[in-house]
Amino acid sequence: MLERKIGILGSTGSIGTQTLEIVRSNPDFKVIALAAGSNVDLMEKQAREFQPELCVMWTEEAAKELRLRLSDTSVTVLAGMDGLLTLAVMPEIQILVTAIVGMIGLRPTIAAIKAGKIIALANKETLVTAGHIIIPLAAKMQVPILPVDSEHSAIFQSMCGQSRKKVSKILLTASGGPFRGKKRQELLDITVEDALKHPNWSMGRKITIDSATLVNKGLEVIEAKWLFGVEPENIQVVVHPQSVIHSMVEYVDGAVIAQLGVPDMKLPIQYALTYPYRRPMEGKKLDFYELSSMTFEKPDTDTFKGLPMAYDAIAAGGSMPTVYNAANEKAVSLFLNREIKFLEIYDLIQGAMENHKVKENPTVEEILEAEAEAYEYIDSHRRA
Ligand code: NAD
Ligand code: MG
C-alpha cells in the first residue's frame, strides 16, 4: 500500500483527467483537493466521485456556481490565486500534480515546495520560467520533483541507478508534430483544425499547437536542462515519428539507455505517483513483432523555428526563457482565436525576445513583469 494523498492543479484537463483515471485504478490513492479553470460541470462530477476536501475554480463566478451545486456535500470551494495557494499548502496533501497549463502554475508550485510537497510536474512552463528558483528550492527543502512529461519521465527512468556525473548527452525525442516534412511555404495557410491534429498524442489545445510549432520541444529542452542539470549543448533533439522511444540518455562510455512504450501519458503519470515503485497498468503494451521499424531524423530548424529560439533563450539566460514562453502563450491563444496565422507565432516570439532586456536571476515578481512585458509587446505590435 502506498496510500498516496494527492492534490491536482488542472484536474479537468488532459493530464488532470488521466491522473484521476490512475487514482480510480489504485484504490489506496486518495484525492485531497482539485483545481481547475472554468469547467464547473466536470469539476462537480469529479468532486462527487473523488470526494476531495477542497475544490478551487479560477473565476469567482465558477466558484460560486460550484459551491451552490455542491451544497449538499462537505466540499469547500475557493476561487482564484488565493484558492490555488491554499490548496498548494494543505497539510493532508503529499503529492501535488501540477497539470495546470501555463505560467499561472508558478506561484502555487513554489508554495507547495516550500510546504514540503512532492511535485509531480507536468506544468513545464513553471520550470522554463523559474527553474533557477524551483530547483535550488526543491533541493533545499529535499522535495523531489518527479517529471510527468513523457520525455522527462523517460530520461529520469533511464538515469535510475546510474551516476548523473557520467551522463554525456540527453537525446530528447520528438514526434515532429503534424507538419513534419513540410516547408515554410506550405505552412502559410495552416488552419487551427490542421494544427490540432497531432499524429500520436491526444493532449490539451495549447500543448498540441506547441507540438506543431516545436515550441513544445524547445520548452522541453529548457525543462530538461533544469531537471537534470545538463547543459543545452548536451541536449540533442532527435525526431522519431513513431513516438516509441520516449527519450534516451547517453553515458560517457557510449552506452545509450532508453525508455520505450506505447504513447500513453498514463504511464509517466502513474510512475510519478508510485515512484520509486512500479505497479501493473491496464492497456496496450508494445508488440515488437508488430513494430516493423523505428526511424530517426534531424529536426528541420529552418522551418520550425520554435526549437532554435529556445536555445537562443537559454543562451541569453535570466528572464529570456520567460519571454520566450510568455510570448508563445499569448501568440498561441491568438492563433487559437483565429486572430493570427500559424507562422506569426514565430514572428511574435522573435519580436518579443528582441525587444526584451535580460534580467539576470529574476525574482518571481520580475518573472511576472517579464511576462507582462511580453504580453504588452504583442498587444501593441498587434495594434500597430
Ligand atoms: P489542458 O488544457 O487539457 O488542461 C489544463 C488544465 O488547467 C484544465 O484543468 C484547466 O481548467 C486548468 N486551468 C487553466 N487555467 C487555469 C487557471 N487560471 N486556474 C486554475 N486552473 C486552470 O492542458 P494539458 O494538456 O493537460 O496540459 C497541462 C500541462 O501539462 C501543460 O503545462 C502541458 O505543457 C503539460 N503536459 C501535457 C501533456 C499532455 O499529454 N497533455 C504532456 C506533457 C506535458
Ligand atoms: Mg513531452
Side-chain angles (χ1 to χ4, degrees):
M1 294 271 274
L2 295 170
E3 294 185 333
R4 299 290 194 236
K5 297 196 176 81
I6 302 167
I8 307 175
L9 300 179
S11 65
T12 60
S14 162
I15 296 288
T17 51
Q18 294 181 83
T19 304
L20 288 172
E21 280 181 50
I22 299 292
V23 172
R24 211 176 266 134
S25 50
N26 287 274
D28 56 331
F29 291 4
K30 166 102 186 88
V31 174
I32 305 293
L34 300 172
S38 56
N39 190 343
V40 176
D41 287 345
L42 184 52
M43 185 57 109
E44 183 192 354
K45 280 201 194 99
Q46 292 180 344
R48 291 194 183 279
E49 179 179 355
F50 294 96
Q51 306 186 353
E53 292 171 27
L54 173 70
C55 289
V56 178
M57 300 302 298
W58 180 246
T59 62
E60 197 56 63
E61 300 94 270
K64 217 166 148 185
E65 172 69 22
L66 185 69
R67 206 172 284 129
L68 201 68
R69 294 203 202 170
L70 293 177
S71 54
D72 61 322
T73 71
S74 61
V75 180
T76 304
V77 179
L78 297 175
M81 185 52 78
D82 286 348
L84 295 178
L85 293 172
T86 305
L87 188 162
V89 303
M90 280 172 78
E92 300 84 345
I93 292 177
Q94 294 171 330
I95 302 191
L96 185 69
V97 180
T98 64
I100 218 163
V101 62
M103 278 180 66
I104 199 90
L106 178 56
R107 291 179 58 205
T109 304
I110 291 176
I113 297 171
K114 283 187 179 157
K117 311 298 179 201
I118 298 171
I119 306 292
L121 185 124
N123 181 219
K124 62 191 87 179
E125 295 91 338
T126 56
L127 264 194
V128 167
T129 57
H132 62 289
I133 297 173
I134 288 176
I135 297 299
L137 181 65
K140 184 176 144 212
M141 296 301 302
Q142 298 187 323
V143 162
I145 308 246
L146 303 170
V148 167
D149 211 346
S150 57
E151 295 78 0
H152 303 75
S153 176
I155 295 162
F156 184 72
Q157 292 178 59
S158 303
M159 285 184 174
C160 284
Q162 305 291 328
S163 163
R164 288 204 179 179
K165 289 199 192 94
K166 303 293 177 195
V167 170
S168 57
K169 207 193 248 179
I170 282 179
L171 297 151
L172 191 70
T173 53
S175 71
F179 307 134
R180 184 177 59 88
K182 291 206 190 304
K183 292 290 171 202
R184 207 178 150 81
Q185 200 58 28
E186 299 167 84
L187 298 177
L188 288 173
D189 294 312
I190 286 300
T191 64
V192 171
E193 288 70 25
D194 295 333
L196 285 176
K197 277 187 212 121
H198 195 279
N200 303 341
W201 298 92
S202 157
M203 310 178 284
R205 285 156 62 87
K206 191 245 171 194
I207 185 175
T208 305
I209 303 301
D210 290 350
S211 301
T213 55
L214 287 203
V215 167
N216 181 52
K217 214 44 61 179
L219 295 171
E220 290 185 352
V221 169
I222 309 178
E223 184 185 11
K225 166 193 145 70
W226 288 116
L227 278 174
F228 307 111
V230 174
E231 289 309 315
E233 59 269 26
N234 297 325
I235 305 174
Q236 184 181 1
V237 173
V238 180
V239 175
H240 164 47
Q242 297 81 15
S243 297
V244 169
I245 297 180
H246 297 313
S247 278
M248 314 178 248
V249 180
E250 183 196 272
Y251 290 88
V252 287
D253 57 356
V256 176
I257 302 185
Q259 186 255 329
L260 288 70
V262 293
D264 182 347
M265 286 307 296
K266 286 204 286 300
L267 170 61
I269 296 170
Q270 174 166 295
Y271 189 64
L273 294 178
T274 59
Y275 178 79
Y277 306 103
R278 283 189 192 271
R279 278 193 171 176
M281 199 166 71
E282 294 292 308
K284 217 172 153 237
K285 303 275 152 61
L286 273 187
D287 179 343
F288 284 86
Y289 287 164
E290 242 176 54
L291 184 77
S292 52
S293 70
M294 289 198 279
T295 58
F296 305 94
E297 306 165 12
K298 219 171 149 174
D300 172 0
T301 49
D302 292 330
T303 307
F304 299 98
K305 290 196 205 150
L307 185 56
M309 283 193 295
Y311 283 92
D312 293 346
I314 312 175
S319 51
M320 195 58 96
T322 295
V323 173
Y324 169 76
N325 176 69
N328 176 61
E329 283 187 22
K330 178 89 181 175
V332 169
S333 82
L334 289 171
F335 173 70
L336 285 169
N337 285 334
R338 298 167 209 275
E339 291 179 51
I340 62 169
K341 289 190 168 231
F342 184 73
L343 289 174
E344 277 181 80
I345 297 174
Y346 296 141
D347 302 338
L348 291 175
I349 301 172
Q350 183 83 45
M353 283 173 59
E354 280 167 10
N355 180 58
H356 181 66
K357 202 165 163 303
V358 172
K359 199 151 227 153
E360 298 298 336
N361 268 316
T363 60
V364 172
E365 283 68 35
E366 287 166 340
I367 289 168
L368 298 174
E369 275 164 31
E371 176 194 37
E373 182 207 289
Y375 283 9
E376 273 160 34
Y377 168 84
I378 291 185
D379 279 340
S380 61
H381 190 81
R382 292 274 307 137
R383 276 197 302 270

